[in-house]
Amino acid sequence: MGTYAIGDLQGCYEPLRRLLDYISFDPAIDRVWFVGDLVNRGPASLEVLRFVKSLGSAATVVLGNHDLHLVMQAAGFGKANKEDTLDEILAAPDRDELLAWLRAQPLFHVEGDWAMVHAGLLPGWTVAQAQALSDEASAALVAADYREFLANMWGSEPAVWTDDLAGWDRLRVVINAMTRMRYVTAAGAMEFRAEGSKGPPDKGPAGCVPWFAAPGRASADHAIVCGHWSALGFRDEANILALDTGCLWGGCLTAVRLEDRRVFRQPCAQLAKPSGWD
Ligand SMILES: [Mn+2]
């Protein structure tokens, strides 16, 4: 048996099935971790969602920004993007159960010395604190009045975490760090807008470092599986396993077996990269 962590799918169903066949994945004995962004931009988001849900307890999922974008769109919040490919899900007869399942997925997962998050963790957060904060945000996402949270979730401020943050601001920082962040400033503020803020580390915004390279990062005692950053690509270091290898953009889909860090890849079909992609 093995535990396989798989990078951003974004609706790439056929490559996912090919990758699972390639590793001889058996849901009766193996487990799979999905790093988030199951849906959007790619061609088969509905199939991906149905399939991952059908894996039941064999699959562990954390939410990405595109997954939350789908939840927002389904609830009537946020602006649609011209590159969205979510209509098939929104029109599906099983959309309500798919969306209820998606909303109930966590933002962060910890197991032994491993953790998983879609984007990243702020430098001051320990893994235990990140788990507690993820639980706070998840509780708001599954609450009876979750639509009120969605109405207040969008936005990039505040950019800095403080322990006394409360209300929607507090949850918004958690969502933004765990699903959108790439770079932080020397003061630990999230940087979303500056030139280079979606680019590779050698072309990053001035004065910023990748979140995982922040000096003294309090979560460095765990190996963290993440995605979200196709310009970063694959990275296997002691404390960081980055898995967004740009399946959607004609790169490949990557799985890593956590027990021995063996890498498995399948190529993906080329799609044009639109401007404004993330
Ligand atoms: Mn993402």
Side-chain angles (χ1 to χ4, degrees), residues 119-277:
L121 301 180
L122 283 166
W125 290 349
T126 64
V127 162
Q129 187 176 9
Q131 180 71 73
L133 294 172
S134 164
D135 290 347
E136 284 184 37
S138 290
L141 277 172
V142 299
D145 62 348
Y146 75 95
R147 293 172 58 89
E148 198 180 340
F149 178 34
L150 298 184
N152 289 280
M153 194 169 72
W154 189 247
S156 297
E157 300 292 335
V160 181
W161 173 260
T162 55
D163 286 336
D164 60 355
L165 275 176
W168 303 130
D169 281 354
R170 178 181 177 89
L171 298 183
R172 195 180 309 111
V173 173
V174 174
I175 292 281
N176 284 337
M178 293 189 180
T179 72
R180 295 179 59 209
M181 175 175 67
R182 294 183 183 88
Y183 287 99
V184 293
T185 68
M190 294 180 279
E191 175 56 70
F192 294 113
R193 295 191 187 89
E195 185 176 348
S197 60
K198 294 179 182 175
D202 61 341
K203 294 175 184 162
C208 292
V209 293
W211 67 269
F212 53 81
R217 180 168 59 82
S219 55
D221 56 348
H222 283 62
I224 299 179
V225 180
C226 61
H228 181 59
W229 195 348
S230 60
L232 176 69
F234 181 75
R235 183 170 291 229
D236 179 7
E237 297 172 354
N239 293 326
I240 192 85
L241 186 58
L243 295 179
D244 185 355
T245 47
C247 182
L248 179 61
W249 311 116
C252 60
L253 187 62
T254 300
V256 174
R257 188 164 57 203
L258 299 185
E259 287 81 5
D260 60 359
R261 293 201 181 205
R262 182 171 165 192
V263 179
F264 304 84
R265 290 194 176 95
Q266 285 291 294
C268 301
Q270 178 78 54
L271 286 182
K273 183 185 287 187
S275 60
W277 62 287

Side-chain angles (χ1 to χ4, degrees), residues 8 37 64-66 118 179 182 228 278:
D8 307 44
D37 281 355
N65 52 309
H66 284 284
H118 179 65
T179 72
R182 294 183 183 88
H228 181 59
D278 71 355

